[in-house]
Amino acid sequence: MVTPQDTRPLARCRAHTSPMELPPTSLKGKMPRPYSEIPGNWKTSWFNLYFFWKDGGFHNVHSMMVRNFQQFGPIYREKLGIYESINIIDPEDAAVLFKHEGLARWDGGLGRGPESDRLVLNKEALSLQTIDNFVPLLNEVGEDFVKRVYIQIRSSAHGRWTADLTNELFRFALESVCNVLYGTRLGLLQDFIDPENQQFIDAITLMFHSTSPMLYIPPGLLRRINSKTWQNHVKAWDTIFQHADKCIQNMYRDLRLNRKSAKEYMGILSRLLLQDKLPIENIKASITEMMAGGVDTTSITLQWAMYELARAPAMQEQLRSEVFAAKAASQGDVLKMVKSVPLLKAAIKEVLRLHPVAVTIQRYTTQEIVLQNYLIPAKTLVQVGTYAMGRDPRFFTKPELFNPERWLSEDSRHFRGLSFGFGPRQCLGRRIAELEMYLFLIHMLANFKIEMKRGVEVGTTFDLILIPDKPIHLTLRPLDSHPRAKEEFPSASGAR
């Protein structure tokens, strides 16, 4: 899940790795070279920004980073206008950077909360003891999405449904994350959407779009001239916070009236309110951050996942077999089934390698560190080029290929899968997003064959997050020919 934490590019963190011992740098013991000797374009900052804009950098920053690493090597310094950063690509350098990070976090615009805030939030959103509660909430949304697909197939009169699923997946993602956060459904998988919920959907899109121009242009300037971009940005966030505030007030009402059983899990918000360990404004900011950031990012990743599986039918069948085997072994236990699909989980990692939501992971150094034998001062912005790393043959064999099995070997994991960040400041919505995507693909693979026209290539464009540069039209066809589909997932036949 990605949230614009400020007007710097993609300050959101992501990771897909488990904690492991940090590797020693191969340059340890050597006299580091000074910061001023780091290669790159940083001496003519405003000319750099002009040429960056002229070359379409606002929508092509990921490809530009790939070229910069090819030109300057594994580390380079860049300054665009007032924005200055050090960019790295080597996984061992990323390990050094994460080792020296702190717990400070952005809380949605209300200031930086103390470390204790983040520890409380981590326990409720990332703890393995807590996330089991998310499974039934996310699973029911996935089942309803399957029913919606069957309705569309019936109405098509062609025995299949072909569409650009961008909006459908957006609604699915918002319905999913809100069910986990608030323990309630918004009804976004119905044909009619409440106008207030539609306004929220539109506000999320506007927020992402209006943030992009402010990545390198000083926001203060846009505010002073009251530009249309600034007006749209403020309007979008006002709508997002109003929607979140309404949901929080509804939860307060339900808790006061004891409308839900004490044994029933009522979502992350209710847990935070009942614990009374955080100020209400901090809770509101964190919940809003997860809600706003958990929509485009998850829905776009699922769109890319179906795109890659449609182009790799053999892998799609392999994953489908794993899903049916896991279903049979779990005997209806959804949580057990989710834990029994390692290849499917690897497929999500592979999708995020090829199509990361964030171009970079950003950290400010808390002390002096050495990267590539250069001394990096404290309080320096360092960016790990996640997109560039995923496309580099030094770190991934045949990086252009969609090969989920690469993640099943130990040598491919070490600080190479950083889609959700790493450590105490990893993405707060990581567990929600992972479970949401696992369950979605389980349901889709168990019920439908995913297809698209042959020879269709879709690229990426940068709009605060990486998105497809053109619509992806997918075809969903029921698995009538699969002998185990109706037996293993009776809801598939019952929905038709």
Side-chain angles (χ1 to χ4, degrees):
M1 304 166 75
V2 169
T3 301
Q5 302 179 353
D6 56 10
T7 53
R8 304 183 187 279
L10 294 174
R12 192 65 178 159
C13 52
R14 305 194 165 294
H16 238 320
T17 57
S18 57
M20 55 184 69
E21 186 179 353
L22 296 171
T25 173
S26 59
L27 299 170
K28 187 175 181 180
K30 294 184 179 181
M31 180 65 68
R33 302 172 66 180
Y35 183 73
S36 59
E37 292 185 8
I38 298 176
N41 295 321
W42 51 271
K43 295 183 179 179
T44 55
S45 59
W46 292 105
F47 279 109
N48 294 342
L49 180 60
Y50 169 74
F51 287 111
F52 181 83
W53 167 77
K54 186 178 180 181
D55 293 340
F58 289 120
H59 296 292
N60 199 35
V61 62
H62 51 302
S63 297
M64 285 187 168
M65 288 191 72
V66 171
R67 293 197 296 268
N68 285 337
F69 282 119
Q70 291 171 347
Q71 178 182 355
F72 299 116
I75 185 170
Y76 70 91
R77 182 178 172 186
E78 183 175 53
K79 189 169 184 181
L80 300 170
I82 62 173
Y83 178 80
E84 184 171 7
S85 64
I86 298 298
N87 300 277
I88 59 176
I89 193 174
D90 193 300
E92 290 197 4
D93 288 336
V96 173
L97 177 65
F98 288 125
K99 183 179 180 180
H100 296 92
E101 68 170 314
L103 281 173
R105 58 179 286 274
W106 181 264
D107 68 0
L110 299 174
R112 293 188 181 275
E115 294 182 2
S116 57
D117 280 18
R118 180 65 204 232
L119 294 176
V120 172
L121 292 166
N122 283 354
K123 183 178 180 180
E124 291 304 320
L126 295 173
S127 168
L128 295 177
Q129 290 74 30
T130 302
I131 62 173
D132 290 357
N133 295 312
F134 302 164
V135 172
L137 299 175
L138 294 170
N139 189 59
E140 69 177 41
V141 181
E143 290 177 339
D144 286 349
F145 189 85
V146 167
K147 294 176 184 178
R148 178 166 177 78
V149 173
Y150 275 115
I151 291 173
Q152 298 297 327
I153 291 173
R154 281 204 307 267
S155 64
S156 72
H158 296 294
R160 62 186 184 276
W161 183 31
T162 300
D164 171 11
L165 299 179
T166 301
N167 188 54
E168 294 286 343
L169 292 174
F170 192 103
R171 291 160 60 179
F172 162 80
L174 181 56
E175 184 82 354
S176 296
V177 71
C178 286
N179 204 24
V180 171
L181 294 178
Y182 306 118
T184 188
R185 299 286 296 274
L186 298 182
L188 300 179
L189 299 185
Q190 307 298 321
D191 289 332
F192 173 78
I193 301 179
D194 181 272
E196 288 189 6
N197 291 331
Q198 185 60 56
Q199 287 178 4
F200 177 78
I201 293 174
D202 295 339
I204 294 288
T205 303
L206 182 61
M207 178 270 293
F208 276 99
H209 183 72
S210 61
T211 301
S212 295
M214 294 191 289
L215 298 180
Y216 302 101
I217 301 174
L221 173 62
L222 297 175
R223 182 175 63 250
R224 281 194 293 271
I225 65 175
N226 198 28
S227 69
K228 185 65 175 178
T229 295
W230 178 258
Q231 293 177 31
N232 287 339
H233 192 68
V234 172
K235 178 182 177 182
W237 274 111
D238 282 347
T239 302
I240 291 169
F241 271 98
Q242 288 169 8
H243 190 279
D245 189 62
K246 179 181 177 181
C247 292
I248 291 173
Q249 293 303 322
N250 289 340
M251 177 59 68
Y252 260 131
R253 181 193 61 206
D254 289 346
L255 290 174
R256 287 198 307 268
L257 298 176
N258 296 318
R259 290 187 175 182
K260 296 189 177 183
S261 167
K263 296 182 179 180
E264 182 182 356
Y265 183 76
M266 297 180 290
I268 292 176
L269 174 61
S270 66
R271 295 270 298 179
L272 293 174
L273 293 175
L274 289 172
Q275 289 179 27
D276 196 27
K277 293 182 178 180
L278 300 178
I280 184 61
E281 289 302 318
N282 290 23
I283 293 175
K284 178 180 176 181
S286 298
I287 291 294
T288 304
E289 178 183 2
M290 286 193 285
M291 183 169 62
V295 184
D296 274 73
T297 54
T298 305
S299 62
I300 292 297
T301 300
L302 289 174
Q303 192 172 17
W304 281 122
M306 290 195 287
Y307 167 79
E308 292 294 348
L309 291 177
R311 301 203 312 159
M315 176 55 64
Q316 185 179 155
E317 286 302 319
Q318 193 174 344
L319 289 170
R320 185 170 289 115
S321 296
E322 181 184 68
V323 166
F324 280 120
K327 172 64 177 179
S330 65
Q331 298 181 339
D333 186 330
V334 179
L335 179 59
K336 184 177 179 180
M337 179 173 60
V338 170
K339 294 178 179 179
S340 304
V341 285
L343 185 60
L344 184 141
K345 294 179 180 180
I348 291 293
K349 288 185 179 182
E350 183 72 345
V351 170
L352 287 168
R353 176 187 70 84
L354 287 168
H355 311 283
V357 176
V359 173
T360 65
I361 305 169
Q362 299 182 331
R363 294 291 188 273
Y364 281 93
T365 55
T366 56
Q367 61 188 69
E368 286 187 343
I369 61 174
V370 177
L371 300 172
Q372 292 294 319
N373 205 33
Y374 291 101
L375 186 63
I376 311 299
K379 300 181 180 180
T380 300
L381 175 62
V382 181
Q383 302 187 134
V384 183
T386 50
Y387 178 88
M389 182 191 295
R391 303 288 175 134
D392 196 312
R394 291 174 296 173
F395 312 120
F396 295 96
T397 303
K398 297 182 179 179
E400 72 282 358
L401 296 182
F402 176 70
N403 177 23
E405 292 174 320
R406 74 171 80 238
W407 293 101
L408 301 180
S409 61
E410 291 291 336
D411 60 346
S412 294
R413 300 179 185 178
H414 190 74
F415 283 90
R416 286 166 169 79
L418 296 171
S419 300
F420 290 96
F422 183 82
R425 288 188 57 220
Q426 64 183 283
C427 174
L428 190 58
R430 171 186 177 180
R431 302 300 184 189
I432 301 173
E434 288 177 335
L435 286 171
E436 180 183 335
M437 292 188 287
Y438 298 158
L439 288 165
F440 178 88
L441 287 186
I442 285 172
H443 284 297
M444 297 305 290
L445 289 166
N447 286 277
F448 310 106
K449 185 175 182 180
I450 305 168
E451 304 170 333
M452 65 180 296
K453 289 183 178 180
R454 292 187 178 183
V456 175
E457 295 288 339
V458 180
T460 55
T461 186
F462 180 73
D463 194 14
L464 187 61
I465 60 175
L466 288 179
I467 61 175
D469 62 1
K470 60 183 176 183
I472 300 176
H473 290 90
L474 296 163
T475 296
L476 301 177
R477 190 188 304 273
L479 290 177
D480 294 329
S481 59
H482 200 295
R484 299 181 63 182
K486 296 181 182 180
E487 175 186 351
E488 298 294 340
F489 284 79
S491 62
S493 58
R496 274 176 276 183

